[in-house]
Amino acid sequence: MTIDWLLLLFGCQGSNVGVIGAEHTWFISAILICYLFTPLIGFIYKRIPKVIMITILLLLPLTFAFCQPAWIYTLFNPLSYYGIAFIIGRNFDKLKYSLSRLLIAIFIAVLSLLLRFVVRYYADGTIFYDRIIVNYTHFFAALAISYIFATIFRNGRSYKLVDFIFGISFEIYLYHNMFIVGPISLFGLTSIWIVDSFIVVICTIIIAVLANITTSPFFKLIKRYDT
């Protein structure tokens, strides 16, 4: 047990994770920061016009982009889009669907991805590309793609397999990387890459299910007191 493991245990690993196979869990620290600011976001949401709030949130990444050290940008930048997601979530039932809006969403998604590739060719490795262009194009493309899927599948059925994978998707993301890199990597277990990949998927699903079962009682308890 080292300080890196203790930081990981309490979600305080930050952007430089010292445990091999858990490098991707920096996002947990970012999520906890977002949760910490949720009451403040809710307070602001009720007191200023939504257009002004969204404008401020969209401008925040520009401020974070030029901050030093780099961990300020990495950990606090998601707060901007978390705030926008908060607003969208509060008004999700008011979302309107139409063919024209769908076409606009497709245009925004394509334009965002094209812009990223073009700017990368000329400015890769710069703050302008790495922290601004990548940041905004990812956000707008993701937002547009989410609307596209919401439009296409809003009247679709939910299948048990989809619900099952959805139910453990967080755990899958949380634990998959340790089977890919690090001391318990399963790649190289056989001489066939596709077989190793299949083993990684199976092991990830198994541990994701076990983790979900273990933590479910705690979430149910929290939800009961929350309601």
Side-chain angles (χ1 to χ4, degrees):
M1 182 64 68
T2 65
I3 185 64
D4 290 322
W5 277 97
L6 289 174
L7 292 172
L8 189 69
L9 179 65
F10 291 102
C12 300
Q13 59 268 50
S15 59
N16 295 314
V17 183
V19 178
I20 299 176
E23 293 87 351
H24 63 303
T25 61
W26 63 268
F27 80 97
I28 291 180
S29 295
I31 288 175
L32 292 177
I33 291 173
C34 290
Y35 291 166
L36 180 66
F37 278 91
T38 300
L40 177 60
I41 294 172
F43 178 83
I44 296 173
Y45 175 83
K46 296 177 180 179
R47 286 164 176 79
I48 69 173
K50 307 305 172 288
V51 175
I52 295 178
M53 185 176 180
I54 291 174
T55 302
I56 294 172
L57 289 169
L58 285 175
L59 290 175
L60 277 179
L62 287 175
T63 303
F64 294 138
F66 295 97
C67 287
Q68 294 294 338
W71 62 265
I72 297 177
Y73 167 80
T74 303
L75 296 182
F76 285 89
N77 189 58
L79 184 62
S80 304
Y81 303 123
Y82 178 80
I84 294 174
F86 180 94
I87 297 172
I88 294 174
R90 288 294 184 92
N91 298 276
F92 192 77
D93 57 335
K94 301 176 183 177
L95 193 62
K96 296 180 180 180
Y97 302 95
S98 66
L99 179 59
S100 60
R101 290 170 182 263
L102 177 62
L103 293 176
I104 292 173
I106 294 174
F107 174 77
I108 291 174
V110 173
L111 180 64
S112 297
L113 295 175
L114 286 176
L115 179 63
R116 178 180 174 183
F117 286 125
V118 170
V119 178
R120 180 182 181 183
Y121 180 79
Y122 292 101
D124 190 17
T126 65
I127 288 179
F128 176 67
Y129 172 75
D130 293 345
R131 295 190 181 185
I132 297 177
I133 294 298
V134 169
N135 188 42
Y136 282 113
T137 54
H138 272 188
F139 169 72
F140 285 108
L143 192 64
I145 292 171
S146 296
Y147 181 83
I148 292 169
F149 277 97
T151 302
I152 295 174
F153 297 108
R154 69 183 187 278
N155 296 320
R157 290 177 55 191
S158 177
Y159 296 94
K160 290 184 178 180
L161 179 60
V162 175
D163 290 337
F164 169 72
I165 297 298
F166 174 77
I168 60 171
S169 59
F170 177 78
E171 288 83 359
I172 287 175
Y173 183 79
L174 190 62
Y175 295 112
H176 79 282
N177 201 48
M178 68 182 187
F179 294 120
I180 299 175
V181 297
I184 59 172
S185 171
L186 299 178
F187 279 102
L189 198 62
T190 71
S191 58
I192 306 173
W193 180 84
I194 192 66
V195 174
D196 291 343
S197 299
F198 181 75
I199 294 173
V200 167
V201 171
I202 296 300
C203 290
T204 300
I205 291 176
I206 290 174
I207 195 170
V209 170
L210 292 175
N212 185 269
I213 292 173
T214 303
T215 56
S216 289
F218 296 100
F219 286 111
K220 289 179 180 178
L221 183 63
I222 293 172
K223 187 175 181 181
R224 186 175 68 182
Y225 281 102
D226 184 54
T227 55

